[in-house]
Amino acid sequence: MNRLDDMPGAAPARPILSIRNLDLYYGDAQALDDVSIEVGEGQIVAIIGANGAGKTSLIRAVAGIEKPRAGRIVFRGQDVTGLESFATCNLGLGQVAEGRQIFPTLSVLENLQVGAMLPRARAKAQRTQEEVYAMFPRLAERRGQLAGTLSGGEQQMLAIGRCLMGQPEFIMFDEPSLGLAPTVVQEVFQTIRKLNARGLAILLVEQNVALSLKLAAHAYVLENGRVVMSGSGAALLSDDRVRRAYLGL
Amino acid sequence: MFSQINPRARGLLAALALLLLILPWIANNYVLSVAVLILYFAYTGQAWNVMMGFCGQLSLGHSLYVGIGGYSAAALFVHFGIGPWGGALVAVAASMLVGAIIGFLAFRFGIGGVYFALLTIAFAEFTRLGFDHWQWLGASGGFFLPVKQREFNDLLNLRGSPVMFYYVMLALATAALAFCTWLLRTRIGYYWLAIREDQQAAQALGINTFRCKMIAVLISSGMTSLAGVFFAFYYNNLFPEQIFNMGRSIEIILGPIIGGIGTLFGPILGAALLALLADGITELMAQIGIELPGIKQVFYGSCLLLVTMFLPNGVWPALARRLGLVSAPGPDPAGNTVRHPDG
């Protein structure tokens, strides 16, 4: 693995999530091979890579939806390897899954309410809901509308809002810009930056390499299930191999 | 749900309740038997709807729970003299146990969709084959409850007049409606809808999908088995070939499909429409004087086809909108939500 250290001597942030030597298989097919990744408190970390590189598998393994064969996942100092997703979510490990998986025949409000039913989030549901509405006024306007009738961008906002209802301390975004118009993509990235400014640590999996590297403090390049390169977003952005392979420059 | 439907709908519901309560005084025995059948399918449809309409798990083998319920209560009555109400407890427990086995096998090993449906058929079928050879329960020759002429209605032992059975079934159907209405307002109700809409998203939000689906199966199978107990004491005979028949499972699910899957009033409306349609066709054929074997089924099937073609969400959502029983979906200044057409 190539490590591009742009800031020698900089103290690494205390990790909120650390993944060590993770192996994940689907049957005999290996999806993740000895993957080690660290996300510091309050950091945005990006994972870039082509289709099938294992980005979604990584998120699903951390969330507890897929069970890794080897390796350890530590969240806030607690070993969460192999925990079910309802347990990891309740520890504050949130995710916004790929493809805006909102509940189409439930209303906007009901989508949000389902997000707030985690034991950790129930008591504060009302206040969180107000915060989400303040952040996304469009959702407040459309609270009674069926979620399936929202535009793509609004659905992505709803997916993010629904995740926030669960009081996460760390959010994994899986391809949040997928299938969205360029202006909406900008809006989504703005939102991610805003959430980060509030102190949320973020793991961002994206095919939009340029945007995510600009946003990320640290980034990893995943190829065929392996981490092949890592460094600060800026360092990777100026690296020739990254520019050739992912930016087409 | 009831609080969210408008006064007009509440009035209509009250009128329907009143009609059902006084029906035995204004209807003859034939009409009453049709009403019992409608209520029976309204009830079983409601029970099936918990699994499919709320939680999105397609069961094509619900006759299994009717059969287990019926045979459990009948066996306890005939062999041990235990009345149907005590028997119902055993029936519900037995059905829930079988439901739990099916659910565990399916959900633990990630069997979903059509494969889950096939599993439910398989269980119903091999249970049927098992009962076909179970001598203690009459095997394929049938299991019969003693029938005696009675002076009075014996509600404790469910022996009595059609009117008594009518009221028992009415109570069951009403209780099922109230129970399902309540279920949809609870946390698990929301979880079910989330799973139905998108199981992966539900999982990503931290919903324990395995547990929620198991609860749906347990509730649905337990409810359905009560219908089996009723069936046994109403008809006084049980044949494995009939009660476990896959056709019976299909009959159970037609009501909610025609009426509207996932709605509270869909199963009731669907059951009524199907029964009236079947009887209507028979009557019509007799009037016209057509006697073609199978023509009734063809006509019946065509009607179902038309409904599913033009009202894919069922009759109830469209009817409720047409009658102005629900407000149109859209931004709601009061912040109330419009979940389903029935509120």
Side-chain angles (χ1 to χ4, degrees), chain B:
Chain B
M1 241 121 284
F2 282 124
S3 58
Q4 281 168 14
I5 58 179
N6 60 31
R8 194 169 175 180
R10 232 169 292 167
L12 212 62
L13 201 60
L16 178 68
L18 189 68
L19 174 72
L20 288 171
L21 274 176
I22 61 165
L23 193 69
W25 280 284
I26 55 175
N28 59 26
N29 270 345
Y30 169 70
V31 173
L32 209 60
S33 71
V34 173
V36 168
L37 211 62
I38 291 174
L39 290 169
Y40 175 84
F41 282 114
Y43 177 85
T44 51
Q46 202 79 260
W48 176 82
N49 203 33
V50 170
M51 237 168 103
M52 176 61 194
F54 298 172
C55 192
Q57 305 304 310
L58 175 59
S59 164
L60 292 178
H62 254 51
S63 63
L64 170 64
Y65 308 121
V66 176
I68 291 176
Y71 269 105
S72 304
L76 288 170
F77 188 67
V78 172
H79 291 308
F80 305 107
I82 296 170
W85 300 102
L89 291 177
V90 178
V92 169
S95 283
M96 284 170 112
L97 179 68
V98 175
I101 293 169
I102 296 175
F104 182 84
L105 285 175
F107 305 144
R108 189 44 93 199
F109 299 106
I111 297 168
V114 284
Y115 300 102
F116 175 72
L118 286 178
L119 190 70
T120 60
I121 296 175
F123 265 84
E125 282 295 288
F126 72 63
T127 308
R128 176 178 64 83
L129 292 173
F131 274 75
D132 260 343
H133 299 93
W134 196 350
Q135 292 304 329
W136 190 61
L137 294 175
S140 56
F143 192 59
F144 301 91
L145 280 78
V147 182
K148 263 190 288 183
Q149 208 52 267
R150 285 179 190 267
E151 315 283 294
F152 59 94
N153 288 328
D154 182 358
L155 193 59
L156 272 184
N157 285 311
L158 274 189
R159 310 277 77 189
S161 67
V163 174
M164 184 198 74
F165 280 103
Y166 169 79
Y167 278 119
V168 168
M169 203 56 240
L170 179 61
L172 276 176
T174 310
L177 174 65
F179 183 52
C180 289
T181 304
W182 174 76
L183 278 175
L184 272 188
R185 293 170 146 188
T186 60
R187 194 177 294 138
I188 189 97
Y190 275 85
Y191 284 166
W192 284 338
L193 297 180
I195 291 169
R196 178 192 75 187
E197 296 292 303
D198 192 329
Q199 186 170 321
Q200 289 213 343
Q203 214 179 359
L205 282 180
I207 294 172
N208 188 341
T209 52
F210 174 76
R211 184 164 158 264
C212 291
K213 288 191 286 186
M214 283 300 281
I215 293 172
V217 173
L218 288 176
I219 290 177
S220 184
S221 57
M223 281 174 77
T224 309
S225 74
L226 281 184
V229 177
F230 178 87
F231 185 99
F233 284 80
Y234 185 59
Y235 290 108
N236 296 309
N237 60 68
L238 296 167
F239 296 90
E241 292 299 332
Q242 281 180 9
I243 201 159
F244 291 113
N245 195 299
M246 198 182 151
R248 284 296 164 95
S249 296
I250 301 296
E251 274 176 5
I252 290 174
I253 77 177
L254 279 179
I257 289 176
I258 296 299
I261 291 179
T263 65
L264 288 167
F265 292 99
I268 302 168
L269 180 66
L273 286 177
L274 286 171
L276 298 178
L277 190 65
D279 276 5
I281 294 167
T282 313
E283 188 65 25
L284 189 72
M285 292 296 157
Q287 293 280 329
I288 304 173
I290 304 176
E291 274 187 52
L292 271 174
I295 189 77
K296 187 182 149 187
Q297 277 71 18
V298 171
F299 193 57
Y300 193 65
S302 311
C303 287
L304 296 184
L305 204 65
L306 288 174
V307 170
T308 43
M309 266 176 74
F310 293 107
L311 298 167
N313 294 322
V315 177
W316 171 253
L319 186 72
R321 251 195 314 278
R322 180 60 63 86
L323 294 179
L325 303 182
V326 288
S327 33
D332 184 343
N336 292 325
T337 63
V338 184
R339 182 210 296 283
H340 280 302
D342 54 6

Side-chain angles (χ1 to χ4, degrees), chain A residues 60 65 85-86 89 95 101-107 109-110 113-115 117-118 122 141 143-146 162, chain B residues 187 190-191 193-194 196-198 200-208 329-332 335-340:
Chain A
R60 290 173 64 83
I65 295 169
S85 58
F86 52 84
C89 280
Q95 66 160 313
Q101 298 173 334
I102 46 106
F103 305 123
T105 70
L106 301 193
S107 71
L109 174 63
E110 284 168 331
Q113 284 171 338
V114 170
M117 285 180 179
L118 280 174
R122 278 170 206 164
E141 285 165 29
R143 66 184 78 185
Q145 202 169 317
L146 297 186
R162 192 181 57 184
Chain B
R187 194 177 294 138
Y190 275 85
Y191 284 166
L193 297 180
R196 178 192 75 187
E197 296 292 303
D198 192 329
Q200 289 213 343
Q203 214 179 359
L205 282 180
I207 294 172
N208 188 341
D332 184 343
N336 292 325
T337 63
V338 184
R339 182 210 296 283
H340 280 302

Side-chain angles (χ1 to χ4, degrees), chain A residues 26 45-61 63 65-66 94-101 156 159-160 163 170-180 188-189 192 202-208 212 222, chain B residues 200 204:
Chain A
Y26 296 112
V45 168
I47 312 254
I48 60 174
N51 262 335
K55 297 175 305 219
T56 299
S57 299
L58 181 69
I59 286 189
R60 290 173 64 83
I65 295 169
E66 304 292 346
Q95 66 160 313
V96 177
E98 186 179 353
R100 307 187 289 281
Q101 298 173 334
Q156 186 60 276
I160 296 172
C163 174
F170 168 72
I171 303 182
M172 299 182 283
F173 283 91
D174 194 355
E175 307 278 5
S177 73
L178 196 72
L180 295 179
V188 169
F189 274 79
I192 294 174
I202 282 160
L203 184 70
L204 177 62
V205 160
E206 256 294 343
Q207 297 208 31
N208 193 328
S212 37
L222 214 54
Chain B
Q200 289 213 343

